[in-house]
Amino acid sequence: MENRNTMSDKLPGTHSNPGVLYENEVREPRRYRVLLHNDDYTTMEFVVHVLRSVFRKTEPEAMRIMLAVHQEGLGVCGEYTAEVAESKVETVHSIAKTAGYPLKASMEEVL
């Protein structure tokens, strides 16, 4: 009997069972955007401070994101794995609470 395996049957990551994850396949982790939300109390200077210290943004990047938060109600701070995004959201809330600001951060999955 003749073996009819094709070249793609032998290549890693190419299988005839779609939807089945094999042990040797690696998937990229899901990514999440961290967002800052506008409020009527947090100062622009504090938002810039948070963006520079928590998200390691340059002064121009921090200013651009802060203005988006102020003018559009929402600013994207970056994209991270779930664990990193959760940590950054918690850090923002902790720093804001300590400073007496109600600054809110959230995360959303990047689709």
Side-chain angles (χ1 to χ4, degrees), residues 1-106:
M1 180 165 190
E2 185 178 326
N3 185 354
R4 294 193 177 257
N5 287 341
T6 63
M7 177 76 83
S8 65
D9 291 336
K10 296 175 178 118
L11 293 175
T14 58
H15 304 288
S16 60
N17 297 329
V20 175
L21 182 62
Y22 292 86
E23 281 187 44
N24 63 343
E25 290 183 305
V26 177
R27 287 193 179 174
E28 288 292 319
R30 291 181 180 165
R31 305 286 291 176
Y32 293 83
R33 278 186 200 99
V34 175
L35 308 168
L36 287 183
H37 301 262
N38 191 35
D39 64 68
D40 293 331
Y41 302 100
T42 306
T43 65
M44 293 182 191
E45 293 81 10
F46 184 76
V47 173
V48 169
H49 166 71
V50 167
L51 289 164
R52 298 207 58 199
S53 62
V54 177
F55 299 96
R56 304 288 182 225
K57 299 298 183 186
T58 64
E59 184 76 22
E61 289 173 318
M63 292 296 289
R64 181 185 52 76
I65 296 167
M66 176 275 295
L67 287 172
V69 171
H70 180 68
Q71 295 170 349
E72 300 166 26
L74 203 61
V76 178
C77 303
E79 292 183 8
Y80 309 93
T81 61
E83 295 80 11
V84 173
E86 288 170 359
S87 175
K88 290 197 180 283
V89 168
E90 290 172 8
T91 301
V92 168
H93 291 160
S94 175
I95 291 172
K97 184 177 180 182
T98 299
Y101 292 112
L103 182 61
K104 181 183 176 206
S106 64

